Structure formats: structure tokens, C-alpha cells
Amino acid sequence: MSSHDQGETSSNPSYLVGKRDDIIQAKRVTKFVNGRDVLVLYHQGEFHALDMRCYHSGGPLVKGDIEEFNGQMCIVCPWHKYKITLAEGEGLYQAVDPNMKPPKPVWCSKGIKQRIHTVSVSNGDVFVTLNDSPGAIDSDYYQTQKYRDKLAKG
Ligand code: FES
């Protein structure tokens, strides 16, 4: 996989993940990007990239449905149906205030749980720039060698 310098101001390289047309046709691809397993998807005219294993328990987000909740486009993990916003990687859930009559569920955020990466398109090629923001994000655990070793052992 080759890296591609997006400009003098960026110290964070971007990596070629495929041809624009191929990814649009496939809708979803998983790529190993500089040591990280990343899901790149195309939905309603936009590309998105995120860690490919769900922050909750490592579920395969490549098989998740995409739906809108509370005005935010989310991927729904196929294992336990957790909802993750594609824009920020926030975990969304519904809560009910028992004091509210009648009780009505409201959408709440658990904060950023899934690492979301940046996608750019240049001359028909698609590039991913990994999100290197400091501090742990829950989905990071499923990118570790410790977790990969666990998967390999079955
Ligand atoms: Fe994704 Fe549990 S592993 S919701």
C-alpha cells in the first residue's frame, strides 16, 4: 500500500485504498491500512472510513446496516445492534426518563467510541488518512496485536 502526501501542512500521510469506481461498485471494502483494519464504505454519495471492528465486542461492521437515527447516519453492528454515527463514531442509545408522562425515549450519546478516519478522492483514487487523535478510543482495543492473537487462537 502506498502513502501519498496530501500537502506540506499535513504530517499525517494518506494511504491509497482503491479505485473510486471499484469501491462505489463494491459499496464496502476492508483494508489493512498502516497496521490498522479499516472499513471503507460508500453510502448515498459519500465515502466513510472507520475501524472495522465494533467498539463493543469486535463485531464485523462490514456486515452492519446503515440507518438514520435522530438525524444522524449510523452503522448498526450486526452482533448486538449498537448504533455508531458515521460522522464522529459516537455510540448512540435511547434512554427513557421515567418522570416524563407519558415516558418517551430520547436519543443520547455515549461519546466517541469508534475511531473514524478521513477519506479523500483524487484522480479516481481513494485515500484514507488515519485518525491519529491522541487518547484511547474504545475501538482501538480491536486493533491490537493482543486481540489479533486472540482471534488467531479462535
Ligand atoms: Fe457490536 Fe456488540 S459487538 S454491538
Side-chain angles (χ1 to χ4, degrees), residues 53 144-154:
R53 295 186 196 90
T144 59
Q145 196 53 46
K146 189 175 160 195
Y147 181 74
R148 289 195 178 100
D149 290 347
K150 204 168 130 187
L151 274 186
K153 280 187 201 146

Side-chain angles (χ1 to χ4, degrees), residues 93-145:
Y93 68 101
Q94 281 190 299
V96 177
D97 179 351
N99 298 319
M100 204 184 257
K101 304 279 184 231
K104 188 174 167 259
V106 290
W107 285 101
C108 302
S109 171
K110 300 178 196 173
I112 294 175
K113 298 291 187 178
Q114 194 79 19
R115 204 173 276 270
I116 301 290
H117 309 290
T118 304
V119 183
S120 57
V121 181
S122 174
N123 294 325
D125 290 324
V126 177
F127 297 87
V128 165
T129 306
L130 295 175
N131 169 351
D132 64 353
S133 66
I137 295 179
D138 290 24
S139 66
D140 291 345
Y141 171 70
Y142 301 99
Q143 299 287 343
T144 59
Q145 196 53 46

